[in-house]
Amino acid sequence: MNLQDYMSRIGKQARDAAQVLARTPTINKNNALEAIAQKIEQQHNSLVAANAKDLEAGKAKGLEDALLDRLALNDSRIANMIEGLRQMITLPDPIGEITDLNYRPSGIQVGKMRVPLGVVGIIYESRPNVTADAAALCLKSGNATILRGGSEAIHSNQAIAQCIQAGLTEADLPSAAVQVIETTDRAAVGELVRLSEYVDVIIPRGGKGLIERVSNEARIPVIKHLDGICHVYIDDKANLEKAIAVAYNAKTQRYGTCNTMETLLVAEGIAAQVLPTLAEKYQAAGVELRGCTATQALLPNMKAATDEDWKTEYLAPILSIKIVSDYEAAIAHINQYSSQHTDSIITEDWSRARQFLTQVDSSSVMVNTSTRFADGFEYGLGAEIGISTDKFHARGPVGLEGLTSQKYIVLGDGHTRQ
Amino acid sequence: MNLQDYMSRIGKQARDAAQVLARTPTINKNNALEAIAQKIEQQHNSLVAANAKDLEAGKAKGLEDALLDRLALNDSRIANMIEGLRQMITLPDPIGEITDLNYRPSGIQVGKMRVPLGVVGIIYESRPNVTADAAALCLKSGNATILRGGSEAIHSNQAIAQCIQAGLTEADLPSAAVQVIETTDRAAVGELVRLSEYVDVIIPRGGKGLIERVSNEARIPVIKHLDGICHVYIDDKANLEKAIAVAYNAKTQRYGTCNTMETLLVAEGIAAQVLPTLAEKYQAAGVELRGCTATQALLPNMKAATDEDWKTEYLAPILSIKIVSDYEAAIAHINQYSSQHTDSIITEDWSRARQFLTQVDSSSVMVNTSTRFADGFEYGLGAEIGISTDKFHARGPVGLEGLTSQKYIVLGDGHTRQ
């Protein structure tokens, strides 16, 4: 069978399964999640063995350590997958939720009912745990899933896929509810993102290269963020202690995450008070600092930040620092350079906080809070399939609700329109 | 200036205006709406004169009567435009609305704030009143608008555009908040739907040909419905009186609207009781009936309905009728042939009504209600920019809220992540 036919068959099977899933009661979806969790528990050793094959091949191919680390399926990661599946059971089922059901002057009752999107295509790179995590989110939200993992994780993903299939079968759900693409042919991604007849949304998870490729080629809506160029702005009305705590945490709590601060903006009125202390803390943590001319004048021996720095997501212990005249200049800098992921102001000034919340055009806008909080778990979504910096459909961390839509329901007693 | 440069300039101006509009207070937007209404009132005669040019050119070109009727800007239509603008003032401003603001265990407060989409491109055909109606909806929801009307309405649209420009200027809003494309070059549509850097969503309003063209060419999200193949299913547990009232109203109250019933499904157990009476009423109203074999056996002298009929939006006094075995067969027929616009069940049976609401995969699903109710005004949205049969972003009638997105806001007091 050629690739196109193979992908079409996968798509059609997913569409058929989606129709069943859309009307599957909560208890049956939960039973399937529990059955999958048990299969993964039982197959612990074969998962580790399959993963060992991937790791060995990866080493032979000379993959770098960071990639090999992401690829590894150790005991704690397997335990996390199982815990994720069981946590999904405890989350409320969004499907069928009826809201805003109100009487209209005509006498009809109009409301909204939450429904699944249909078929979700997930394209990801090396982390095999995404296979179970993404399948669980889609299953709970009544969507069929087509998963396409990285070729370097093919054995691990197929082993997890077998557990998922066995769990679905045990719970009497269609096995095509979750399909893991079996070919490592890169062209399969191109086919998947054009299967508009069968796939309703594509979610790429991985590096900027993957996401750009998917965005450019897709003929289906994509939920994505390209990068996370997040800012903290320390206003001259900031509380110094909070400013230092938040700015330090936002950069150093983890370096490789998309919600890590990459640029620190400081009002010139407070720069001399806050920057020396902060710089000392950053340097003690091994963070390389790059500054604008004013910052360099204040903190000697610092590399100059170029325009390129304001546009760069380092994902590393590097921080660019810019001194700005005031909060309006900070907002202007953010709206120009931010990737619309997450930006935070540190201030005790009521009006400036309100203005920042309104005028910064990012998917998460914060006051006196570390940007590191921007994720689905911290926001209480229970789980996260990704983060969207777009405005269409979903914005910010995307959980179960982002995988659904709302149709209108209208109830009457023989009502006719005049 | 060539077309591409012209459209890019329009796009860039709209993007700049959108940034101003996003932070414009409600009162200023309302002042602009009132100023535009007054300009249209003052320019009544010049609007009629501009429209006369379009009508004359249309007649000379041999446009059919229905099209000329849609093109006409008479006193009552001008009054309706003015009324629409003033009603928009009374609607609550969706922008800035904060919902679901809750404390998380970490101590941060997380909520959602409603924001505009940005720049909305509207592509429409002959009705010039769309120019004012669409501009008002976008303005109130804080979006900049680029309007591209039909070439046959160019003089009317430009005259309305001048009133809008004058109103915006009087209210101190950027005149690029609403731009009406001045060229009648058809290629402008192709350019507009590819301006992904500057335009956030495209809304086509018009015939199926226009909507298909826009959907195929667009590189920007589109809010659309292709057609309205709406069903009423009369269950064998229906109340006869309600069934007849609703089925008659859904077909005959207006023929040319997208929420008009095109196919009537009847349970075989009730067909002999309900169809003869209904057929008589339809025929008295001049509705041509086309039936399946069973319907033909019951009602002699009826044309046969072919498979093509189940897929056709007549927009005319024609109705196809099919007798089905039961409600499950009705749901299956609807999910196969419906355009996911609006479908209604007539039944007194509690469980069947619940099942129909859940299992019919359309943007409006109704019980004991005429499909003719499916529109933004009847649903209480205050106004309607269009209807979406898609699931991504918006589904069903789209009002102010469908032109917005929600960003996350996070409030803290120096909170850092552990």
Side-chain angles (χ1 to χ4, degrees), chain B residues 78-114:
Chain B
I78 293 175
N80 281 342
M81 280 199 292
I82 294 166
E83 200 195 329
L85 285 155
R86 292 194 167 134
Q87 277 179 353
M88 195 56 65
I89 296 172
T90 69
L91 291 181
D93 187 343
I95 300 308
E97 177 201 47
I98 295 173
T99 49
D100 304 324
L101 187 63
N102 294 306
Y103 283 98
R104 297 289 309 147
S106 62
I108 62 172
Q109 245 179 319
V110 180
K112 288 176 163 191
M113 182 189 280
R114 202 167 282 286

mmCIF file of all heavy atoms in Angstrom, chain B residues 78-114:
data_model
loop_
_atom_site.group_PDB
_atom_site.id
_atom_site.type_symbol
_atom_site.label_atom_id
_atom_site.label_comp_id
_atom_site.label_asym_id
_atom_site.label_seq_id
_atom_site.Cartn_x
_atom_site.Cartn_y
_atom_site.Cartn_z
ATOM 1 N N ILE B 78 -32.227 51.824 4.414
ATOM 2 C CA ILE B 78 -31.341 52.827 5.028
ATOM 3 C C ILE B 78 -31.721 53.006 6.500
ATOM 4 O O ILE B 78 -30.862 53.054 7.385
ATOM 5 C CB ILE B 78 -31.416 54.167 4.254
ATOM 6 C CG1 ILE B 78 -30.811 53.959 2.851
ATOM 7 C CG2 ILE B 78 -30.685 55.279 5.006
ATOM 8 C CD1 ILE B 78 -30.917 55.163 1.937
ATOM 9 N N ALA B 79 -33.024 53.019 6.778
ATOM 10 C CA ALA B 79 -33.483 53.128 8.169
ATOM 11 C C ALA B 79 -33.003 51.922 8.976
ATOM 12 O O ALA B 79 -32.614 52.050 10.145
ATOM 13 C CB ALA B 79 -35.007 53.234 8.209
ATOM 14 N N ASN B 80 -33.014 50.750 8.352
ATOM 15 C CA ASN B 80 -32.550 49.546 9.050
ATOM 16 C C ASN B 80 -31.059 49.616 9.388
ATOM 17 O O ASN B 80 -30.640 49.166 10.446
ATOM 18 C CB ASN B 80 -32.799 48.291 8.206
ATOM 19 C CG ASN B 80 -34.250 47.847 8.293
ATOM 20 O OD1 ASN B 80 -34.974 48.247 9.212
ATOM 21 N ND2 ASN B 80 -34.676 47.038 7.335
ATOM 22 N N MET B 81 -30.275 50.156 8.449
ATOM 23 C CA MET B 81 -28.841 50.305 8.724
ATOM 24 C C MET B 81 -28.630 51.189 9.940
ATOM 25 O O MET B 81 -27.830 50.885 10.827
ATOM 26 C CB MET B 81 -28.125 50.948 7.522
ATOM 27 C CG MET B 81 -27.814 49.988 6.391
ATOM 28 S SD MET B 81 -26.520 50.676 5.309
ATOM 29 C CE MET B 81 -27.386 52.057 4.575
ATOM 30 N N ILE B 82 -29.362 52.306 9.950
ATOM 31 C CA ILE B 82 -29.219 53.261 11.057
ATOM 32 C C ILE B 82 -29.651 52.610 12.373
ATOM 33 O O ILE B 82 -28.978 52.717 13.400
ATOM 34 C CB ILE B 82 -30.049 54.532 10.760
ATOM 35 C CG1 ILE B 82 -29.440 55.256 9.543
ATOM 36 C CG2 ILE B 82 -30.124 55.447 11.974
ATOM 37 C CD1 ILE B 82 -30.322 56.318 8.934
ATOM 38 N N GLU B 83 -30.766 51.875 12.312
ATOM 39 C CA GLU B 83 -31.258 51.190 13.510
ATOM 40 C C GLU B 83 -30.235 50.151 13.985
ATOM 41 O O GLU B 83 -29.996 49.997 15.184
ATOM 42 C CB GLU B 83 -32.605 50.521 13.195
ATOM 43 C CG GLU B 83 -33.414 50.215 14.432
ATOM 44 C CD GLU B 83 -34.543 49.239 14.130
ATOM 45 O OE1 GLU B 83 -35.062 49.263 12.982
ATOM 46 O OE2 GLU B 83 -34.872 48.444 15.021
ATOM 47 N N GLY B 84 -29.629 49.444 13.014
ATOM 48 C CA GLY B 84 -28.625 48.427 13.367
ATOM 49 C C GLY B 84 -27.445 49.037 14.102
ATOM 50 O O GLY B 84 -26.949 48.473 15.084
ATOM 51 N N LEU B 85 -26.998 50.200 13.626
ATOM 52 C CA LEU B 85 -25.878 50.883 14.282
ATOM 53 C C LEU B 85 -26.244 51.274 15.715
ATOM 54 O O LEU B 85 -25.454 51.122 16.638
ATOM 55 C CB LEU B 85 -25.486 52.134 13.476
ATOM 56 C CG LEU B 85 -24.716 51.838 12.183
ATOM 57 C CD1 LEU B 85 -24.885 52.961 11.175
ATOM 58 C CD2 LEU B 85 -23.229 51.638 12.498
ATOM 59 N N ARG B 86 -27.476 51.747 15.886
ATOM 60 C CA ARG B 86 -27.880 52.219 17.223
ATOM 61 C C ARG B 86 -28.150 51.035 18.160
ATOM 62 O O ARG B 86 -27.930 51.138 19.368
ATOM 63 C CB ARG B 86 -29.093 53.141 17.115
ATOM 64 C CG ARG B 86 -28.678 54.435 16.416
ATOM 65 C CD ARG B 86 -29.662 55.566 16.538
ATOM 66 N NE ARG B 86 -29.007 56.801 16.100
ATOM 67 C CZ ARG B 86 -29.555 57.688 15.284
ATOM 68 N NH1 ARG B 86 -30.786 57.509 14.818
ATOM 69 N NH2 ARG B 86 -28.881 58.766 14.941
ATOM 70 N N GLN B 87 -28.621 49.904 17.584
ATOM 71 C CA GLN B 87 -28.779 48.716 18.431
ATOM 72 C C GLN B 87 -27.423 48.231 18.918
ATOM 73 O O GLN B 87 -27.280 47.724 20.030
ATOM 74 C CB GLN B 87 -29.485 47.602 17.651
ATOM 75 C CG GLN B 87 -31.002 47.763 17.662
ATOM 76 C CD GLN B 87 -31.705 46.680 16.875
ATOM 77 O OE1 GLN B 87 -31.051 45.876 16.209
ATOM 78 N NE2 GLN B 87 -33.020 46.655 16.945
ATOM 79 N N MET B 88 -26.420 48.362 18.054
ATOM 80 C CA MET B 88 -25.073 47.917 18.421
ATOM 81 C C MET B 88 -24.564 48.692 19.647
ATOM 82 O O MET B 88 -23.852 48.148 20.477
ATOM 83 C CB MET B 88 -24.135 48.120 17.231
ATOM 84 C CG MET B 88 -22.815 47.406 17.317
ATOM 85 S SD MET B 88 -22.969 45.634 17.553
ATOM 86 C CE MET B 88 -23.738 45.162 16.002
ATOM 87 N N ILE B 89 -24.977 49.966 19.736
ATOM 88 C CA ILE B 89 -24.576 50.771 20.896
ATOM 89 C C ILE B 89 -25.127 50.168 22.186
ATOM 90 O O ILE B 89 -24.467 50.162 23.221
ATOM 91 C CB ILE B 89 -25.065 52.236 20.721
ATOM 92 C CG1 ILE B 89 -24.366 52.869 19.503
ATOM 93 C CG2 ILE B 89 -24.827 53.057 21.987
ATOM 94 C CD1 ILE B 89 -24.907 54.229 19.107
ATOM 95 N N THR B 90 -26.344 49.618 22.107
ATOM 96 C CA THR B 90 -26.989 49.093 23.323
ATOM 97 C C THR B 90 -26.416 47.741 23.751
ATOM 98 O O THR B 90 -26.640 47.316 24.886
ATOM 99 C CB THR B 90 -28.511 48.920 23.118
ATOM 100 O OG1 THR B 90 -28.710 47.834 22.178
ATOM 101 C CG2 THR B 90 -29.146 50.168 22.559
ATOM 102 N N LEU B 91 -25.713 47.043 22.871
ATOM 103 C CA LEU B 91 -25.179 45.715 23.241
ATOM 104 C C LEU B 91 -23.988 45.889 24.181
ATOM 105 O O LEU B 91 -23.207 46.824 24.036
ATOM 106 C CB LEU B 91 -24.731 44.949 21.991
ATOM 107 C CG LEU B 91 -25.836 44.492 21.047
ATOM 108 C CD1 LEU B 91 -25.233 43.738 19.870
ATOM 109 C CD2 LEU B 91 -26.848 43.619 21.763
ATOM 110 N N PRO B 92 -23.836 44.972 25.141
ATOM 111 C CA PRO B 92 -22.671 45.061 26.037
ATOM 112 C C PRO B 92 -21.371 44.864 25.270
ATOM 113 O O PRO B 92 -21.306 44.072 24.335
ATOM 114 C CB PRO B 92 -22.881 43.926 27.036
ATOM 115 C CG PRO B 92 -24.048 43.138 26.578
ATOM 116 C CD PRO B 92 -24.729 43.875 25.462
ATOM 117 N N ASP B 93 -20.338 45.608 25.665
ATOM 118 C CA ASP B 93 -19.022 45.486 25.033
ATOM 119 C C ASP B 93 -18.371 44.199 25.528
ATOM 120 O O ASP B 93 -18.160 44.023 26.732
ATOM 121 C CB ASP B 93 -18.172 46.698 25.438
ATOM 122 C CG ASP B 93 -16.842 46.754 24.696
ATOM 123 O OD1 ASP B 93 -16.423 45.724 24.133
ATOM 124 O OD2 ASP B 93 -16.225 47.838 24.685
ATOM 125 N N PRO B 94 -18.049 43.270 24.613
ATOM 126 C CA PRO B 94 -17.456 42.005 25.090
ATOM 127 C C PRO B 94 -15.996 42.153 25.521
ATOM 128 O O PRO B 94 -15.491 41.323 26.278
ATOM 129 C CB PRO B 94 -17.555 41.093 23.857
ATOM 130 C CG PRO B 94 -17.551 42.020 22.685
ATOM 131 C CD PRO B 94 -18.222 43.290 23.150
ATOM 132 N N ILE B 95 -15.331 43.220 25.036
ATOM 133 C CA ILE B 95 -13.875 43.330 25.237
ATOM 134 C C ILE B 95 -13.545 43.688 26.690
ATOM 135 O O ILE B 95 -14.137 44.595 27.264
ATOM 136 C CB ILE B 95 -13.282 44.374 24.264
ATOM 137 C CG1 ILE B 95 -13.559 43.951 22.825
ATOM 138 C CG2 ILE B 95 -11.778 44.552 24.487
ATOM 139 C CD1 ILE B 95 -13.133 42.544 22.486
ATOM 140 N N GLY B 96 -12.575 42.976 27.237
ATOM 141 C CA GLY B 96 -12.144 43.240 28.603
ATOM 142 C C GLY B 96 -12.885 42.408 29.640
ATOM 143 O O GLY B 96 -12.474 42.376 30.803
ATOM 144 N N GLU B 97 -13.957 41.750 29.214
ATOM 145 C CA GLU B 97 -14.715 40.891 30.132
ATOM 146 C C GLU B 97 -13.783 39.860 30.775
ATOM 147 O O GLU B 97 -13.048 39.172 30.086
ATOM 148 C CB GLU B 97 -15.819 40.165 29.344
ATOM 149 C CG GLU B 97 -16.621 39.186 30.169
ATOM 150 C CD GLU B 97 -17.331 38.133 29.309
ATOM 151 O OE1 GLU B 97 -16.681 37.542 28.395
ATOM 152 O OE2 GLU B 97 -18.503 37.873 29.545
ATOM 153 N N ILE B 98 -13.806 39.777 32.093
ATOM 154 C CA ILE B 98 -12.967 38.798 32.801
ATOM 155 C C ILE B 98 -13.860 37.715 33.382
ATOM 156 O O ILE B 98 -14.857 38.007 34.034
ATOM 157 C CB ILE B 98 -12.144 39.487 33.913
ATOM 158 C CG1 ILE B 98 -11.143 40.466 33.275
ATOM 159 C CG2 ILE B 98 -11.394 38.458 34.764
ATOM 160 C CD1 ILE B 98 -10.390 41.316 34.265
ATOM 161 N N THR B 99 -13.531 36.470 33.083
ATOM 162 C CA THR B 99 -14.334 35.350 33.585
ATOM 163 C C THR B 99 -13.429 34.320 34.254
ATOM 164 O O THR B 99 -12.225 34.289 34.026
ATOM 165 C CB THR B 99 -15.101 34.651 32.434
ATOM 166 O OG1 THR B 99 -14.189 34.395 31.365
ATOM 167 C CG2 THR B 99 -16.236 35.504 31.923
ATOM 168 N N ASP B 100 -14.052 33.463 35.059
ATOM 169 C CA ASP B 100 -13.369 32.313 35.667
ATOM 170 C C ASP B 100 -12.110 32.717 36.425
ATOM 171 O O ASP B 100 -11.115 31.998 36.404
ATOM 172 C CB ASP B 100 -12.992 31.277 34.586
ATOM 173 C CG ASP B 100 -14.194 30.822 33.774
ATOM 174 O OD1 ASP B 100 -15.274 30.704 34.365
ATOM 175 O OD2 ASP B 100 -14.053 30.591 32.558
ATOM 176 N N LEU B 101 -12.156 33.851 37.111
ATOM 177 C CA LEU B 101 -10.970 34.295 37.865
ATOM 178 C C LEU B 101 -10.964 33.578 39.213
ATOM 179 O O LEU B 101 -11.769 33.888 40.077
ATOM 180 C CB LEU B 101 -11.003 35.820 38.034
ATOM 181 C CG LEU B 101 -9.765 36.470 38.643
ATOM 182 C CD1 LEU B 101 -8.533 36.273 37.770
ATOM 183 C CD2 LEU B 101 -9.999 37.971 38.848
ATOM 184 N N ASN B 102 -10.082 32.605 39.349
ATOM 185 C CA ASN B 102 -10.068 31.762 40.546
ATOM 186 C C ASN B 102 -8.670 31.641 41.115
ATOM 187 O O ASN B 102 -7.683 31.702 40.393
ATOM 188 C CB ASN B 102 -10.561 30.346 40.192
ATOM 189 C CG ASN B 102 -12.023 30.348 39.775
ATOM 190 O OD1 ASN B 102 -12.879 30.844 40.498
ATOM 191 N ND2 ASN B 102 -12.298 29.821 38.596
ATOM 192 N N TYR B 103 -8.616 31.415 42.429
ATOM 193 C CA TYR B 103 -7.336 31.148 43.083
ATOM 194 C C TYR B 103 -6.928 29.704 42.830
ATOM 195 O O TYR B 103 -7.752 28.800 42.855
ATOM 196 C CB TYR B 103 -7.439 31.386 44.592
ATOM 197 C CG TYR B 103 -7.406 32.850 44.948
ATOM 198 C CD1 TYR B 103 -8.578 33.549 45.191
ATOM 199 C CD2 TYR B 103 -6.204 33.532 45.029
ATOM 200 C CE1 TYR B 103 -8.556 34.896 45.508
ATOM 201 C CE2 TYR B 103 -6.165 34.876 45.352
ATOM 202 C CZ TYR B 103 -7.343 35.551 45.582
ATOM 203 O OH TYR B 103 -7.323 36.890 45.886
ATOM 204 N N ARG B 104 -5.639 29.509 42.581
ATOM 205 C CA ARG B 104 -5.073 28.173 42.438
ATOM 206 C C ARG B 104 -4.352 27.807 43.727
ATOM 207 O O ARG B 104 -3.997 28.704 44.511
ATOM 208 C CB ARG B 104 -4.073 28.168 41.256
ATOM 209 C CG ARG B 104 -4.704 28.475 39.901
ATOM 210 C CD ARG B 104 -5.557 27.343 39.412
ATOM 211 N NE ARG B 104 -4.794 26.103 39.480
ATOM 212 C CZ ARG B 104 -5.336 24.909 39.740
ATOM 213 N NH1 ARG B 104 -6.618 24.802 39.931
ATOM 214 N NH2 ARG B 104 -4.591 23.841 39.786
ATOM 215 N N PRO B 105 -4.108 26.521 43.953
ATOM 216 C CA PRO B 105 -3.414 26.125 45.179
ATOM 217 C C PRO B 105 -2.078 26.861 45.387
ATOM 218 O O PRO B 105 -1.677 27.114 46.519
ATOM 219 C CB PRO B 105 -3.186 24.623 44.980
ATOM 220 C CG PRO B 105 -4.279 24.195 44.069
ATOM 221 C CD PRO B 105 -4.542 25.356 43.166
ATOM 222 N N SER B 106 -1.418 27.236 44.300
ATOM 223 C CA SER B 106 -0.146 27.952 44.426
ATOM 224 C C SER B 106 -0.324 29.369 44.949
ATOM 225 O O SER B 106 0.651 30.028 45.304
ATOM 226 C CB SER B 106 0.537 28.015 43.055
ATOM 227 O OG SER B 106 -0.287 28.733 42.147
ATOM 228 N N GLY B 107 -1.554 29.855 44.979
ATOM 229 C CA GLY B 107 -1.809 31.212 45.446
ATOM 230 C C GLY B 107 -2.042 32.219 44.336
ATOM 231 O O GLY B 107 -2.531 33.321 44.579
ATOM 232 N N ILE B 108 -1.676 31.870 43.106
ATOM 233 C CA ILE B 108 -1.920 32.801 42.001
ATOM 234 C C ILE B 108 -3.413 32.789 41.662
ATOM 235 O O ILE B 108 -4.128 31.822 41.941
ATOM 236 C CB ILE B 108 -1.094 32.458 40.738
ATOM 237 C CG1 ILE B 108 -1.446 31.062 40.179
ATOM 238 C CG2 ILE B 108 0.402 32.557 41.018
ATOM 239 C CD1 ILE B 108 -0.803 30.736 38.833
ATOM 240 N N GLN B 109 -3.871 33.897 41.071
ATOM 241 C CA GLN B 109 -5.246 33.995 40.601
ATOM 242 C C GLN B 109 -5.217 33.911 39.084
ATOM 243 O O GLN B 109 -4.490 34.695 38.443
ATOM 244 C CB GLN B 109 -5.808 35.363 40.995
ATOM 245 C CG GLN B 109 -6.949 35.348 41.970
ATOM 246 C CD GLN B 109 -7.370 36.770 42.286
ATOM 247 O OE1 GLN B 109 -6.523 37.655 42.455
ATOM 248 N NE2 GLN B 109 -8.658 37.000 42.363
ATOM 249 N N VAL B 110 -5.968 33.006 38.501
ATOM 250 C CA VAL B 110 -5.952 32.808 37.049
ATOM 251 C C VAL B 110 -7.348 33.037 36.491
ATOM 252 O O VAL B 110 -8.328 32.502 37.023
ATOM 253 C CB VAL B 110 -5.483 31.378 36.686
ATOM 254 C CG1 VAL B 110 -5.478 31.186 35.172
ATOM 255 C CG2 VAL B 110 -4.100 31.098 37.257
ATOM 256 N N GLY B 111 -7.445 33.833 35.442
ATOM 257 C CA GLY B 111 -8.732 34.071 34.802
ATOM 258 C C GLY B 111 -8.552 34.313 33.315
ATOM 259 O O GLY B 111 -7.437 34.233 32.790
ATOM 260 N N LYS B 112 -9.656 34.597 32.644
ATOM 261 C CA LYS B 112 -9.594 34.854 31.213
ATOM 262 C C LYS B 112 -10.121 36.247 30.920
ATOM 263 O O LYS B 112 -11.111 36.671 31.521
ATOM 264 C CB LYS B 112 -10.455 33.837 30.450
ATOM 265 C CG LYS B 112 -9.851 32.452 30.416
ATOM 266 C CD LYS B 112 -10.801 31.487 29.731
ATOM 267 C CE LYS B 112 -10.060 30.226 29.333
ATOM 268 N NZ LYS B 112 -10.878 29.383 28.450
ATOM 269 N N MET B 113 -9.461 36.943 29.998
ATOM 270 C CA MET B 113 -9.920 38.267 29.583
ATOM 271 C C MET B 113 -10.210 38.255 28.079
ATOM 272 O O MET B 113 -9.397 37.780 27.285
ATOM 273 C CB MET B 113 -8.858 39.331 29.877
ATOM 274 C CG MET B 113 -9.306 40.740 29.494
ATOM 275 S SD MET B 113 -7.970 41.974 29.601
ATOM 276 C CE MET B 113 -7.939 42.294 31.356
ATOM 277 N N ARG B 114 -11.377 38.770 27.732
ATOM 278 C CA ARG B 114 -11.777 38.743 26.319
ATOM 279 C C ARG B 114 -11.081 39.845 25.532
ATOM 280 O O ARG B 114 -11.028 40.987 25.978
ATOM 281 C CB ARG B 114 -13.303 38.859 26.213
ATOM 282 C CG ARG B 114 -13.852 38.323 24.907
ATOM 283 C CD ARG B 114 -15.356 38.154 24.936
ATOM 284 N NE ARG B 114 -15.774 36.966 25.635
ATOM 285 C CZ ARG B 114 -15.665 35.726 25.152
ATOM 286 N NH1 ARG B 114 -15.139 35.515 23.963
ATOM 287 N NH2 ARG B 114 -16.069 34.695 25.857
#
